[in-house]
Amino acid sequence: MAHDHHHHHAPEGNLRMAFFLNLFFTIIEIIGGMAVNSVAIVSDAIHDLGDSLSLGTAWYLQRKSKQQADKQFSFGYARFSLLGALLNSVVLIIGSVFVIKEAIERLIQPEASDAQGMLYLALLGIAVNGYAAWKMTSGKSLNEKVISWHLMEDVLGWAAVLIVAIVLHFKPIDYLDPALSLAITLYILYGVFRRLKETLFLFLQGVPAEFDLKKLESELLAVNRVEALHHTHIWSLEGEHHVFSSHVRLKGIQDLAQMEQVKLDLKKQLAAYHFNHITLELETEGQECSMK
């Protein structure tokens, strides 16, 4: 039996920074949105409040994911980071439903907004979310990628608010603000559902998209003295650290040294895939597999 274990951890400082920055700006956004009577800004504030809660959860779970393996979690706590990505997506979907409801009501009964106030808040929103999104681009875990995606959406949303604020400054079109809110939310939902699909796929231990299982099996079958493979599995802990296991039936093995050489050849072939955990069960001719 062969086991390889490698551990690389994404920095948590970016999540901590994004959490406090987002929470601080959400407070400003709620107050400012109500002051300028903009449903787009208030709706985005509700969305950002959900983001802040998710960021706090993601930060905690990212820290938790760095704990070493113990009796309860023999693979370690890496999948807690994936749990953060799932919770973040669910919170955003719930928040988006509320935003859509508010936007539709304002479309039915439009109200005037303070264009100048919207413009100032939009500039601040672009600066704050743009900085946070830039810092999060260095993250490698799915958890951090989900957060980075949301922050980039916020930047685009504030850019749209800026454009609408400029238009409203010259021509008061009351329905533009709720229409923008609706458009931003639908776009956010599109991105969230894509990430949620990816997260659920990893939770269900699907083969990560970057791996071709059939191709990998063919490469291993080409190794000298390998006769067949069965119970071959590839799955991911949290989108960054991947796991490989397989039962390998050998042929023409005369002694332990030959078996050790095959094991080394298999590990050399697998090295190109950068798995963080590798488990190989070697079986000789005539040996019955314990798993059927």
Side-chain angles (χ1 to χ4, degrees):
M1 187 82 72
H3 303 276
D4 277 3
H5 305 282
H6 308 285
H7 302 279
H8 307 283
H9 300 299
E12 69 181 66
N14 291 337
L15 280 172
R16 181 177 63 247
M17 179 276 302
F19 167 65
F20 285 112
L21 196 61
N22 202 290
L23 182 62
F24 172 73
F25 184 68
T26 296
I27 296 172
I28 295 176
E29 197 176 4
I30 291 173
I31 297 171
M34 293 176 67
V36 301
N37 195 32
S38 170
V39 69
I41 293 177
V42 172
S43 298
D44 194 70
I46 300 299
H47 166 76
D48 278 349
L49 181 60
D51 266 359
S52 297
L53 295 174
S54 297
L55 280 164
T57 304
W59 174 27
Y60 168 76
L61 293 176
Q62 188 79 350
R63 293 183 63 187
K64 188 74 173 176
S65 72
K66 295 182 180 181
Q67 289 185 213
Q68 297 299 315
D70 56 25
K71 293 180 179 179
Q72 288 183 307
F73 296 93
S74 60
F75 266 109
Y77 288 76
R79 284 177 75 80
F80 276 66
S81 176
L82 191 61
L83 178 61
L86 179 62
L87 292 176
N88 189 16
S89 298
V90 172
V91 168
L92 283 173
I93 290 173
I94 295 172
S96 295
V97 171
F98 175 81
V99 169
I100 290 173
K101 174 182 174 294
E102 292 297 311
I104 291 175
E105 289 180 357
R106 186 64 71 89
L107 278 173
I108 296 172
Q109 295 181 326
E111 296 180 17
S113 302
D114 181 353
Q116 187 173 7
M118 287 178 64
L119 190 145
Y120 292 147
L121 284 172
L123 290 174
L124 183 60
I126 291 172
V128 171
N129 287 281
Y131 175 74
W134 173 70
K135 290 291 290 183
M136 289 299 298
T137 54
S138 62
K140 296 181 180 179
S141 71
L142 183 60
N143 191 10
E144 290 180 303
K145 289 177 181 177
V146 168
I147 299 300
S148 178
W149 172 261
H150 295 328
L151 290 171
M152 282 304 300
E153 288 173 336
D154 285 342
V155 172
L156 294 175
W158 279 113
V161 170
L162 178 62
I163 294 172
V164 167
I166 293 173
V167 172
L168 290 177
H169 182 75
F170 294 101
K171 189 172 183 179
I173 307 174
D174 294 339
Y175 66 82
L176 274 184
D177 180 69
L180 172 63
S181 174
L182 194 59
I184 291 173
T185 303
L186 291 175
Y187 178 71
I188 288 172
L189 277 176
Y190 170 73
V192 169
F193 276 115
R194 285 181 57 198
R195 292 296 183 182
L196 182 60
K197 179 182 177 181
E198 181 181 358
T199 301
L200 289 174
F201 182 79
L202 292 177
F203 253 117
L204 296 173
Q205 297 186 338
V207 177
E210 62 265 37
F211 294 102
D212 184 336
L213 184 57
K214 293 297 182 183
K215 178 176 179 292
L216 195 155
E217 285 181 328
S218 297
E219 293 174 357
L220 295 181
L221 285 170
V223 172
N224 188 34
R225 300 186 189 279
V226 173
E227 181 180 16
L229 301 172
H230 54 280
H231 292 301
T232 301
H233 307 290
I234 299 176
W235 57 282
S236 181
L237 290 175
E238 32 49 307
E240 181 185 1
H241 302 91
H242 306 307
V243 179
F244 175 87
S245 67
S246 183
H247 287 220
V248 185
R249 182 174 296 278
L250 307 180
K251 58 184 178 181
I253 297 297
Q254 302 297 325
D255 51 43
L256 185 60
Q258 289 181 335
M259 182 176 288
E260 287 295 322
Q261 184 58 53
V262 175
K263 183 172 68 175
L264 289 174
D265 292 341
L266 288 168
K267 291 171 67 176
K268 182 178 179 181
Q269 190 68 45
L270 289 168
Y273 291 92
H274 305 291
F275 289 111
N276 294 92
H277 294 272
I278 296 175
T279 302
L280 298 171
E281 181 167 337
L282 305 182
E283 303 167 354
T284 56
E285 290 175 294
Q287 180 181 357
E288 185 175 351
C289 179
S290 59
M291 297 178 61
K292 288 190 176 181

